[in-house]
Amino acid sequence: MEELALQEIDELEANVAQFRSGELSLEEFRPRRTLYGVYGQRQRERYMVRVRVPQGRLTPEQLLTLADIAESFSRGFAHVTTRQDIEYHFVLLEHMPALLRQLAAVDLTTREAGGNIVRNVTCDPLSGVCGDAVFDVTPHADALAGHFLRNPVSQELPRKIKIALSGCPCDHALTWVHDIGAQAAVSGDRRGFRLLVGGGLGALPRGADVLEEFVPEEELVPLCEAIVRAFQRTGDRKRRQRARLKFVLARLGLETFRKLVHEERRQVPAAPDLLDTRAELEEPAPLRTGEPAPAERTPEYHRWRQVCVLPQKQAGFAVAAVALPAGKITAGQLRALADIAREFALRPRTTIYQNIVLRWAREEHLPALHAALARHNLAQPTAETLLDPVACPGAETCASAITNGKALARALISQLEESEYLEDEAARRIQVKISACPNACGQHPVADIGLYGGALHADGRLLPMYHLLVNSNGFGQLLARLPARRAPQAVRALVEDYRSRRLPEERFRPFARRVGLGELRAVIAPLLPPPAFVEDPEAYLDWEATKLFSLEERGEGECAV
């Protein structure tokens, strides 16, 4: 496979030369590079590169290579995405072949990280170790990823397909908003999956339908191929905005689509069995460098352990979550994680919440692990909390974006960094997700509090704004539109209202359902009217911007063409 990957990189390198010489037009070249996860930015001659990380699993050697790439070809850091991938920005086109060869040397690729194909198969990062785990679905996710990578059946789909697998009822992988979602299940003494189809986010989010209540594990790969084949036949190739699988389900209905899938299943040819059902792929690794030096159990350690550490179902082990602000991790931090993973015999995985979890931490090593992480600013006690918002790249790089989502995330973290939120277990578990446009790359529809970017005309000018959504059950509902600069205040006001009026043991979503949108809107009403320019000129700048807001640099992002 490595030889094939290197041949593909040689072909891409030749394509780059042909594009530079004019032999290939932009229209001809674009699909060839997007297939390799190389997307144009709003900045001319700068590109985003997306690295596939199957199931989010990374080795120390891969972490070191990712660090080298961040320093050599990007800006000294990378971002973890909501699909467990790694992204770099501001990469030069001429650097792509060397970058891809470095990845290939550690068994990583960007192949099919973009384009109308089956994207990276995501996996519950706690699969097999969560206390409620049914079984470890990592081998099944790995089998699906291996089956569809370079598979002719999925190379020219009407639109992309996203697949997610979850190993416990908590659904850490959000399978219900994927084109194909598989939830671990057991029937008698047989392992298998509850199979979902037709979920998705975007401007028109849709919850998935249950295609099959139980699919034996050996049927998962062929049945998923049958779904892809049915989508190949029925997807809308004329209207790109209506081309995803969720629109096929809405148009045909579940029963008709199920019949098509069963027809296609009979046509699926026999394929090599990529699923190792004899054993789980992961188990604790032996310590190779001796026992870590003991460390003090400080107040900071206790707070970190309370928020970021989860006991595994395997006695004596735990999962430690590393919070990455808006998914950002520096080259130095990547190297530090590689060293820490080796020293403590850990198995890192990226998550769809743009963080990294460290599996198989020995409980007696947790104080030393905290100290090691803290030395590199990787021990913030905020993972998957109110102070850990998810955010898409936004207008800093994305041509489709309206606002700078990651800048808002940083502003939100800065304004909410107060100890009482971390001490209040229910309040800190409120999840905030930010998208810079309606496309929902930041997964805002499924957040407790979601925000997506827009623009307002006010006082004869354009003003950056956000649509603020509150989720009481399933997908968020629009609460209000407000200036971007006031979004952190609005989030704070909603959290404070929740803390002051909630019932005992009441979480945020039941609270929002009980009090209703009208009362919540009244809480933030003073923040909604846009100010006059002379009163507050900063309101007409996006977060971290130095010039007045406009849409002049916005275009059609390559994910939409």
Side-chain angles (χ1 to χ4, degrees), residues 322-354:
V322 177
L324 304 177
K328 180 180 177 180
I329 184 167
T330 68
Q333 289 172 325
L334 285 164
R335 291 195 180 96
L337 275 182
D339 292 340
I340 290 168
R342 283 177 173 148
E343 179 182 0
F344 291 87
L346 305 172
R347 299 188 185 274
R349 293 198 189 192
T350 56
T351 81
I352 63 170
Y353 300 99
Q354 299 181 307

PDB file of all heavy atoms in Angstrom, residues 322-354:
ATOM      1  N   VAL A 322      -7.355  15.842  26.719  1.00  0.00           N
ATOM      2  CA  VAL A 322      -6.509  17.026  26.550  1.00  0.00           C
ATOM      3  C   VAL A 322      -7.319  18.072  25.791  1.00  0.00           C
ATOM      4  O   VAL A 322      -7.682  17.863  24.629  1.00  0.00           O
ATOM      5  CB  VAL A 322      -5.223  16.686  25.776  1.00  0.00           C
ATOM      6  CG1 VAL A 322      -4.387  17.941  25.550  1.00  0.00           C
ATOM      7  CG2 VAL A 322      -4.422  15.629  26.521  1.00  0.00           C
ATOM      8  N   ALA A 323      -7.627  19.176  26.448  1.00  0.00           N
ATOM      9  CA  ALA A 323      -8.408  20.244  25.824  1.00  0.00           C
ATOM     10  C   ALA A 323      -7.512  21.076  24.913  1.00  0.00           C
ATOM     11  O   ALA A 323      -6.467  21.576  25.332  1.00  0.00           O
ATOM     12  CB  ALA A 323      -9.035  21.133  26.893  1.00  0.00           C
ATOM     13  N   LEU A 324      -7.934  21.225  23.660  1.00  0.00           N
ATOM     14  CA  LEU A 324      -7.211  22.039  22.681  1.00  0.00           C
ATOM     15  C   LEU A 324      -8.110  23.212  22.304  1.00  0.00           C
ATOM     16  O   LEU A 324      -9.164  23.000  21.701  1.00  0.00           O
ATOM     17  CB  LEU A 324      -6.873  21.216  21.438  1.00  0.00           C
ATOM     18  CG  LEU A 324      -6.083  19.927  21.670  1.00  0.00           C
ATOM     19  CD1 LEU A 324      -5.894  19.182  20.349  1.00  0.00           C
ATOM     20  CD2 LEU A 324      -4.737  20.222  22.316  1.00  0.00           C
ATOM     21  N   PRO A 325      -7.765  24.438  22.641  1.00  0.00           N
ATOM     22  CA  PRO A 325      -8.640  25.583  22.361  1.00  0.00           C
ATOM     23  C   PRO A 325      -8.981  25.683  20.876  1.00  0.00           C
ATOM     24  O   PRO A 325      -8.102  25.890  20.037  1.00  0.00           O
ATOM     25  CB  PRO A 325      -7.811  26.782  22.830  1.00  0.00           C
ATOM     26  CG  PRO A 325      -6.845  26.219  23.819  1.00  0.00           C
ATOM     27  CD  PRO A 325      -6.531  24.837  23.337  1.00  0.00           C
ATOM     28  N   ALA A 326     -10.259  25.497  20.557  1.00  0.00           N
ATOM     29  CA  ALA A 326     -10.737  25.516  19.171  1.00  0.00           C
ATOM     30  C   ALA A 326      -9.941  24.560  18.290  1.00  0.00           C
ATOM     31  O   ALA A 326      -9.776  24.778  17.095  1.00  0.00           O
ATOM     32  CB  ALA A 326     -10.697  26.931  18.602  1.00  0.00           C
ATOM     33  N   GLY A 327      -9.421  23.486  18.887  1.00  0.00           N
ATOM     34  CA  GLY A 327      -8.720  22.455  18.132  1.00  0.00           C
ATOM     35  C   GLY A 327      -7.264  22.721  17.841  1.00  0.00           C
ATOM     36  O   GLY A 327      -6.600  21.904  17.198  1.00  0.00           O
ATOM     37  N   LYS A 328      -6.714  23.826  18.318  1.00  0.00           N
ATOM     38  CA  LYS A 328      -5.340  24.206  17.966  1.00  0.00           C
ATOM     39  C   LYS A 328      -4.318  23.472  18.825  1.00  0.00           C
ATOM     40  O   LYS A 328      -4.434  23.402  20.044  1.00  0.00           O
ATOM     41  CB  LYS A 328      -5.163  25.713  18.139  1.00  0.00           C
ATOM     42  CG  LYS A 328      -3.755  26.209  17.805  1.00  0.00           C
ATOM     43  CD  LYS A 328      -3.651  27.717  17.998  1.00  0.00           C
ATOM     44  CE  LYS A 328      -2.231  28.215  17.747  1.00  0.00           C
ATOM     45  NZ  LYS A 328      -2.124  29.688  17.940  1.00  0.00           N
ATOM     46  N   ILE A 329      -3.286  22.940  18.162  1.00  0.00           N
ATOM     47  CA  ILE A 329      -2.176  22.298  18.860  1.00  0.00           C
ATOM     48  C   ILE A 329      -0.878  22.665  18.152  1.00  0.00           C
ATOM     49  O   ILE A 329      -0.769  22.567  16.929  1.00  0.00           O
ATOM     50  CB  ILE A 329      -2.369  20.763  18.941  1.00  0.00           C
ATOM     51  CG1 ILE A 329      -1.243  20.132  19.758  1.00  0.00           C
ATOM     52  CG2 ILE A 329      -2.515  20.125  17.564  1.00  0.00           C
ATOM     53  CD1 ILE A 329      -1.519  18.690  20.159  1.00  0.00           C
ATOM     54  N   THR A 330       0.107  23.119  18.914  1.00  0.00           N
ATOM     55  CA  THR A 330       1.363  23.580  18.328  1.00  0.00           C
ATOM     56  C   THR A 330       2.293  22.406  18.043  1.00  0.00           C
ATOM     57  O   THR A 330       2.112  21.298  18.562  1.00  0.00           O
ATOM     58  CB  THR A 330       2.082  24.558  19.263  1.00  0.00           C
ATOM     59  OG1 THR A 330       2.524  23.837  20.432  1.00  0.00           O
ATOM     60  CG2 THR A 330       1.171  25.705  19.676  1.00  0.00           C
ATOM     61  N   ALA A 331       3.315  22.681  17.244  1.00  0.00           N
ATOM     62  CA  ALA A 331       4.310  21.649  16.951  1.00  0.00           C
ATOM     63  C   ALA A 331       4.977  21.171  18.234  1.00  0.00           C
ATOM     64  O   ALA A 331       5.203  19.962  18.426  1.00  0.00           O
ATOM     65  CB  ALA A 331       5.347  22.191  15.971  1.00  0.00           C
ATOM     66  N   GLY A 332       5.281  22.103  19.130  1.00  0.00           N
ATOM     67  CA  GLY A 332       5.895  21.719  20.396  1.00  0.00           C
ATOM     68  C   GLY A 332       4.989  20.831  21.226  1.00  0.00           C
ATOM     69  O   GLY A 332       5.452  19.877  21.872  1.00  0.00           O
ATOM     70  N   GLN A 333       3.702  21.121  21.217  1.00  0.00           N
ATOM     71  CA  GLN A 333       2.760  20.294  21.970  1.00  0.00           C
ATOM     72  C   GLN A 333       2.592  18.914  21.341  1.00  0.00           C
ATOM     73  O   GLN A 333       2.435  17.916  22.051  1.00  0.00           O
ATOM     74  CB  GLN A 333       1.417  21.013  22.073  1.00  0.00           C
ATOM     75  CG  GLN A 333       1.453  22.227  22.992  1.00  0.00           C
ATOM     76  CD  GLN A 333       0.179  23.040  22.940  1.00  0.00           C
ATOM     77  OE1 GLN A 333      -0.466  23.158  21.889  1.00  0.00           O
ATOM     78  NE2 GLN A 333      -0.210  23.610  24.072  1.00  0.00           N
ATOM     79  N   LEU A 334       2.624  18.842  20.020  1.00  0.00           N
ATOM     80  CA  LEU A 334       2.561  17.539  19.355  1.00  0.00           C
ATOM     81  C   LEU A 334       3.762  16.682  19.752  1.00  0.00           C
ATOM     82  O   LEU A 334       3.622  15.483  20.035  1.00  0.00           O
ATOM     83  CB  LEU A 334       2.519  17.725  17.836  1.00  0.00           C
ATOM     84  CG  LEU A 334       1.185  18.198  17.250  1.00  0.00           C
ATOM     85  CD1 LEU A 334       1.375  18.722  15.834  1.00  0.00           C
ATOM     86  CD2 LEU A 334       0.160  17.070  17.259  1.00  0.00           C
ATOM     87  N   ARG A 335       4.942  17.293  19.790  1.00  0.00           N
ATOM     88  CA  ARG A 335       6.135  16.542  20.199  1.00  0.00           C
ATOM     89  C   ARG A 335       6.039  16.126  21.666  1.00  0.00           C
ATOM     90  O   ARG A 335       6.425  15.006  22.039  1.00  0.00           O
ATOM     91  CB  ARG A 335       7.389  17.383  19.961  1.00  0.00           C
ATOM     92  CG  ARG A 335       7.708  17.601  18.491  1.00  0.00           C
ATOM     93  CD  ARG A 335       9.125  18.115  18.283  1.00  0.00           C
ATOM     94  NE  ARG A 335       9.369  18.302  16.862  1.00  0.00           N
ATOM     95  CZ  ARG A 335       9.239  19.469  16.215  1.00  0.00           C
ATOM     96  NH1 ARG A 335       8.892  20.554  16.899  1.00  0.00           N
ATOM     97  NH2 ARG A 335       9.457  19.551  14.924  1.00  0.00           N
ATOM     98  N   ALA A 336       5.532  17.039  22.489  1.00  0.00           N
ATOM     99  CA  ALA A 336       5.383  16.706  23.909  1.00  0.00           C
ATOM    100  C   ALA A 336       4.426  15.533  24.093  1.00  0.00           C
ATOM    101  O   ALA A 336       4.687  14.623  24.895  1.00  0.00           O
ATOM    102  CB  ALA A 336       4.886  17.926  24.679  1.00  0.00           C
ATOM    103  N   LEU A 337       3.324  15.527  23.347  1.00  0.00           N
ATOM    104  CA  LEU A 337       2.374  14.418  23.451  1.00  0.00           C
ATOM    105  C   LEU A 337       3.004  13.101  23.005  1.00  0.00           C
ATOM    106  O   LEU A 337       2.721  12.040  23.579  1.00  0.00           O
ATOM    107  CB  LEU A 337       1.128  14.704  22.617  1.00  0.00           C
ATOM    108  CG  LEU A 337       0.029  15.533  23.278  1.00  0.00           C
ATOM    109  CD1 LEU A 337      -1.155  15.688  22.332  1.00  0.00           C
ATOM    110  CD2 LEU A 337      -0.437  14.896  24.581  1.00  0.00           C
ATOM    111  N   ALA A 338       3.845  13.163  21.982  1.00  0.00           N
ATOM    112  CA  ALA A 338       4.539  11.945  21.545  1.00  0.00           C
ATOM    113  C   ALA A 338       5.412  11.403  22.670  1.00  0.00           C
ATOM    114  O   ALA A 338       5.404  10.193  22.967  1.00  0.00           O
ATOM    115  CB  ALA A 338       5.379  12.239  20.305  1.00  0.00           C
ATOM    116  N   ASP A 339       6.158  12.290  23.319  1.00  0.00           N
ATOM    117  CA  ASP A 339       7.023  11.862  24.428  1.00  0.00           C
ATOM    118  C   ASP A 339       6.196  11.331  25.598  1.00  0.00           C
ATOM    119  O   ASP A 339       6.539  10.315  26.218  1.00  0.00           O
ATOM    120  CB  ASP A 339       7.893  13.029  24.895  1.00  0.00           C
ATOM    121  CG  ASP A 339       8.924  13.441  23.856  1.00  0.00           C
ATOM    122  OD1 ASP A 339       9.229  12.622  22.964  1.00  0.00           O
ATOM    123  OD2 ASP A 339       9.415  14.586  23.935  1.00  0.00           O
ATOM    124  N   ILE A 340       5.105  12.026  25.917  1.00  0.00           N
ATOM    125  CA  ILE A 340       4.255  11.618  27.037  1.00  0.00           C
ATOM    126  C   ILE A 340       3.593  10.273  26.743  1.00  0.00           C
ATOM    127  O   ILE A 340       3.497   9.406  27.622  1.00  0.00           O
ATOM    128  CB  ILE A 340       3.209  12.715  27.323  1.00  0.00           C
ATOM    129  CG1 ILE A 340       3.899  13.949  27.922  1.00  0.00           C
ATOM    130  CG2 ILE A 340       2.114  12.211  28.249  1.00  0.00           C
ATOM    131  CD1 ILE A 340       3.015  15.180  27.984  1.00  0.00           C
ATOM    132  N   ALA A 341       3.132  10.093  25.504  1.00  0.00           N
ATOM    133  CA  ALA A 341       2.506   8.815  25.140  1.00  0.00           C
ATOM    134  C   ALA A 341       3.490   7.664  25.301  1.00  0.00           C
ATOM    135  O   ALA A 341       3.126   6.573  25.761  1.00  0.00           O
ATOM    136  CB  ALA A 341       1.983   8.881  23.709  1.00  0.00           C
ATOM    137  N   ARG A 342       4.745   7.899  24.945  1.00  0.00           N
ATOM    138  CA  ARG A 342       5.763   6.853  25.108  1.00  0.00           C
ATOM    139  C   ARG A 342       6.062   6.597  26.588  1.00  0.00           C
ATOM    140  O   ARG A 342       6.109   5.450  27.036  1.00  0.00           O
ATOM    141  CB  ARG A 342       7.041   7.268  24.382  1.00  0.00           C
ATOM    142  CG  ARG A 342       6.984   7.092  22.872  1.00  0.00           C
ATOM    143  CD  ARG A 342       8.253   7.603  22.242  1.00  0.00           C
ATOM    144  NE  ARG A 342       8.316   7.312  20.818  1.00  0.00           N
ATOM    145  CZ  ARG A 342       8.909   8.090  19.933  1.00  0.00           C
ATOM    146  NH1 ARG A 342       9.490   9.217  20.323  1.00  0.00           N
ATOM    147  NH2 ARG A 342       8.938   7.762  18.653  1.00  0.00           N
ATOM    148  N   GLU A 343       6.264   7.678  27.340  1.00  0.00           N
ATOM    149  CA  GLU A 343       6.652   7.521  28.741  1.00  0.00           C
ATOM    150  C   GLU A 343       5.575   6.820  29.557  1.00  0.00           C
ATOM    151  O   GLU A 343       5.877   5.967  30.404  1.00  0.00           O
ATOM    152  CB  GLU A 343       6.949   8.892  29.358  1.00  0.00           C
ATOM    153  CG  GLU A 343       7.350   8.813  30.826  1.00  0.00           C
ATOM    154  CD  GLU A 343       7.588  10.174  31.456  1.00  0.00           C
ATOM    155  OE1 GLU A 343       7.437  11.192  30.755  1.00  0.00           O
ATOM    156  OE2 GLU A 343       7.912  10.211  32.663  1.00  0.00           O
ATOM    157  N   PHE A 344       4.304   7.166  29.289  1.00  0.00           N
ATOM    158  CA  PHE A 344       3.206   6.633  30.095  1.00  0.00           C
ATOM    159  C   PHE A 344       2.474   5.473  29.411  1.00  0.00           C
ATOM    160  O   PHE A 344       1.455   5.007  29.923  1.00  0.00           O
ATOM    161  CB  PHE A 344       2.216   7.750  30.421  1.00  0.00           C
ATOM    162  CG  PHE A 344       2.755   8.795  31.367  1.00  0.00           C
ATOM    163  CD1 PHE A 344       3.474   9.880  30.885  1.00  0.00           C
ATOM    164  CD2 PHE A 344       2.560   8.680  32.731  1.00  0.00           C
ATOM    165  CE1 PHE A 344       3.976  10.848  31.749  1.00  0.00           C
ATOM    166  CE2 PHE A 344       3.052   9.635  33.610  1.00  0.00           C
ATOM    167  CZ  PHE A 344       3.775  10.724  33.117  1.00  0.00           C
ATOM    168  N   ALA A 345       2.976   5.028  28.260  1.00  0.00           N
ATOM    169  CA  ALA A 345       2.370   3.900  27.523  1.00  0.00           C
ATOM    170  C   ALA A 345       0.901   4.183  27.208  1.00  0.00           C
ATOM    171  O   ALA A 345       0.012   3.373  27.491  1.00  0.00           O
ATOM    172  CB  ALA A 345       2.524   2.601  28.302  1.00  0.00           C
ATOM    173  N   LEU A 346       0.638   5.336  26.598  1.00  0.00           N
ATOM    174  CA  LEU A 346      -0.721   5.773  26.291  1.00  0.00           C
ATOM    175  C   LEU A 346      -1.038   5.569  24.818  1.00  0.00           C
ATOM    176  O   LEU A 346      -0.141   5.452  23.978  1.00  0.00           O
ATOM    177  CB  LEU A 346      -0.881   7.255  26.649  1.00  0.00           C
ATOM    178  CG  LEU A 346      -0.516   7.639  28.079  1.00  0.00           C
ATOM    179  CD1 LEU A 346      -0.542   9.153  28.243  1.00  0.00           C
ATOM    180  CD2 LEU A 346      -1.458   6.979  29.071  1.00  0.00           C
ATOM    181  N   ARG A 347      -2.322   5.588  24.521  1.00  0.00           N
ATOM    182  CA  ARG A 347      -2.775   5.465  23.135  1.00  0.00           C
ATOM    183  C   ARG A 347      -3.648   6.680  22.813  1.00  0.00           C
ATOM    184  O   ARG A 347      -4.815   6.732  23.201  1.00  0.00           O
ATOM    185  CB  ARG A 347      -3.539   4.165  22.933  1.00  0.00           C
ATOM    186  CG  ARG A 347      -2.681   2.922  23.216  1.00  0.00           C
ATOM    187  CD  ARG A 347      -3.392   1.653  22.817  1.00  0.00           C
ATOM    188  NE  ARG A 347      -2.632   0.468  23.184  1.00  0.00           N
ATOM    189  CZ  ARG A 347      -1.680  -0.084  22.441  1.00  0.00           C
ATOM    190  NH1 ARG A 347      -1.345   0.476  21.297  1.00  0.00           N
ATOM    191  NH2 ARG A 347      -1.060  -1.184  22.842  1.00  0.00           N
ATOM    192  N   PRO A 348      -3.097   7.671  22.102  1.00  0.00           N
ATOM    193  CA  PRO A 348      -3.847   8.904  21.824  1.00  0.00           C
ATOM    194  C   PRO A 348      -4.878   8.714  20.709  1.00  0.00           C
ATOM    195  O   PRO A 348      -4.667   7.954  19.762  1.00  0.00           O
ATOM    196  CB  PRO A 348      -2.756   9.889  21.373  1.00  0.00           C
ATOM    197  CG  PRO A 348      -1.446   9.239  21.706  1.00  0.00           C
ATOM    198  CD  PRO A 348      -1.698   7.771  21.673  1.00  0.00           C
ATOM    199  N   ARG A 349      -5.981   9.448  20.847  1.00  0.00           N
ATOM    200  CA  ARG A 349      -6.978   9.529  19.777  1.00  0.00           C
ATOM    201  C   ARG A 349      -7.518  10.956  19.716  1.00  0.00           C
ATOM    202  O   ARG A 349      -7.790  11.574  20.751  1.00  0.00           O
ATOM    203  CB  ARG A 349      -8.154   8.577  20.023  1.00  0.00           C
ATOM    204  CG  ARG A 349      -7.810   7.112  19.938  1.00  0.00           C
ATOM    205  CD  ARG A 349      -9.060   6.274  19.765  1.00  0.00           C
ATOM    206  NE  ARG A 349      -8.771   4.855  19.885  1.00  0.00           N
ATOM    207  CZ  ARG A 349      -9.612   3.886  19.548  1.00  0.00           C
ATOM    208  NH1 ARG A 349     -10.818   4.197  19.080  1.00  0.00           N
ATOM    209  NH2 ARG A 349      -9.277   2.613  19.691  1.00  0.00           N
ATOM    210  N   THR A 350      -7.702  11.451  18.516  1.00  0.00           N
ATOM    211  CA  THR A 350      -8.403  12.714  18.347  1.00  0.00           C
ATOM    212  C   THR A 350      -9.899  12.476  18.531  1.00  0.00           C
ATOM    213  O   THR A 350     -10.387  11.348  18.423  1.00  0.00           O
ATOM    214  CB  THR A 350      -8.150  13.301  16.953  1.00  0.00           C
ATOM    215  OG1 THR A 350      -8.533  12.326  15.965  1.00  0.00           O
ATOM    216  CG2 THR A 350      -6.685  13.662  16.761  1.00  0.00           C
ATOM    217  N   THR A 351     -10.645  13.551  18.812  1.00  0.00           N
ATOM    218  CA  THR A 351     -12.087  13.437  19.024  1.00  0.00           C
ATOM    219  C   THR A 351     -12.832  14.415  18.128  1.00  0.00           C
ATOM    220  O   THR A 351     -12.252  15.378  17.615  1.00  0.00           O
ATOM    221  CB  THR A 351     -12.471  13.730  20.487  1.00  0.00           C
ATOM    222  OG1 THR A 351     -12.532  15.155  20.690  1.00  0.00           O
ATOM    223  CG2 THR A 351     -11.474  13.131  21.463  1.00  0.00           C
ATOM    224  N   ILE A 352     -14.134  14.186  17.971  1.00  0.00           N
ATOM    225  CA  ILE A 352     -14.948  15.099  17.166  1.00  0.00           C
ATOM    226  C   ILE A 352     -15.205  16.409  17.903  1.00  0.00           C
ATOM    227  O   ILE A 352     -15.787  17.332  17.329  1.00  0.00           O
ATOM    228  CB  ILE A 352     -16.286  14.454  16.753  1.00  0.00           C
ATOM    229  CG1 ILE A 352     -17.144  14.133  17.977  1.00  0.00           C
ATOM    230  CG2 ILE A 352     -16.053  13.216  15.903  1.00  0.00           C
ATOM    231  CD1 ILE A 352     -18.566  13.710  17.634  1.00  0.00           C
ATOM    232  N   TYR A 353     -14.758  16.502  19.148  1.00  0.00           N
ATOM    233  CA  TYR A 353     -14.859  17.753  19.898  1.00  0.00           C
ATOM    234  C   TYR A 353     -13.557  18.549  19.803  1.00  0.00           C
ATOM    235  O   TYR A 353     -13.321  19.457  20.589  1.00  0.00           O
ATOM    236  CB  TYR A 353     -15.226  17.458  21.353  1.00  0.00           C
ATOM    237  CG  TYR A 353     -16.553  16.749  21.471  1.00  0.00           C
ATOM    238  CD1 TYR A 353     -16.615  15.370  21.644  1.00  0.00           C
ATOM    239  CD2 TYR A 353     -17.749  17.449  21.358  1.00  0.00           C
ATOM    240  CE1 TYR A 353     -17.837  14.710  21.719  1.00  0.00           C
ATOM    241  CE2 TYR A 353     -18.976  16.801  21.433  1.00  0.00           C
ATOM    242  CZ  TYR A 353     -19.010  15.426  21.610  1.00  0.00           C
ATOM    243  OH  TYR A 353     -20.222  14.780  21.675  1.00  0.00           O
ATOM    244  N   GLN A 354     -12.707  18.171  18.838  1.00  0.00           N
ATOM    245  CA  GLN A 354     -11.464  18.877  18.530  1.00  0.00           C
ATOM    246  C   GLN A 354     -10.442  18.784  19.660  1.00  0.00           C
ATOM    247  O   GLN A 354      -9.617  19.671  19.841  1.00  0.00           O
ATOM    248  CB  GLN A 354     -11.747  20.349  18.181  1.00  0.00           C
ATOM    249  CG  GLN A 354     -12.644  20.515  16.958  1.00  0.00           C
ATOM    250  CD  GLN A 354     -12.905  21.961  16.610  1.00  0.00           C
ATOM    251  OE1 GLN A 354     -13.336  22.741  17.455  1.00  0.00           O
ATOM    252  NE2 GLN A 354     -12.653  22.330  15.370  1.00  0.00           N
TER     253      GLN A 354
END
